[in-house]
Amino acid sequence: MAEKTAIVLEGSRCTVCATVAFPAGVMCSKCATPTAAPLDLSTRGVLWAYTIQRFPPKSPPYVTPAGGFTPFAVGYIELPEGIKVEAIIDCEDFDGLDQAPVTLVATSPVPRFAVDRDAKQGEIK
């Protein structure tokens, strides 16, 4: 049986000033030196800000699903490393999303986090 690979966001951290970046790069955006090293980012965070996409995005690149368009949430996830990552938010409804704890569920084609309704609001595990 094949071993399941963990889902991870690949970022980077500057070895000079400790600035964290996503996506990963070799150049530091703060000190402008080629000193960034690979860093696996946390898979849990807090929804920092969001909006609801209530109409289909421009096509292409968006491809309408077979069942038609369904509104979805997109926002910024604050990770313990001190960086905010833009992602699609998987949720049952749009109530109670402010400061909701979230967990990474996919990285491709874009980061995707699911709301963790069992954790306390504003909590990062």
Side-chain angles (χ1 to χ4, degrees):
M1 180 178 233
E3 201 174 301
K4 185 178 179 182
T5 304
I7 300 170
V8 66
L9 286 177
E10 296 173 358
S12 57
R13 181 185 319 240
C14 179
T15 58
V16 173
C17 71
T19 297
V20 176
F22 176 80
V26 293
M27 293 294 291
C28 174
S29 60
K30 185 174 182 182
C31 65
T33 59
T35 55
L39 173 69
D40 288 350
L41 298 173
S42 298
T43 58
R44 302 186 112 190
V46 173
L47 183 55
W48 182 74
Y50 70 95
T51 189
I52 309 302
Q53 179 72 35
R54 297 190 186 277
F55 55 89
K58 184 178 178 183
S59 185
Y62 180 76
V63 177
T64 304
F69 174 78
T70 302
F72 60 92
V74 62
Y76 285 98
I77 309 304
E78 186 173 39
L79 298 176
E81 293 82 6
I83 190 169
K84 294 173 182 77
V85 174
E86 185 176 11
I88 291 176
I89 313 304
D90 289 346
C91 54
E92 295 293 320
D93 56 57
F94 304 127
D95 295 332
L97 289 181
D98 289 332
Q99 298 295 302
V102 294
T103 302
L104 181 68
V105 293
T107 59
S108 182
V110 297
R112 188 176 209 101
F113 285 78
V115 172
D116 185 354
R117 297 286 183 191
D118 295 330
K120 294 187 318 191
Q121 293 225 252
E123 175 184 65
I124 298 179
K125 290 184 178 180

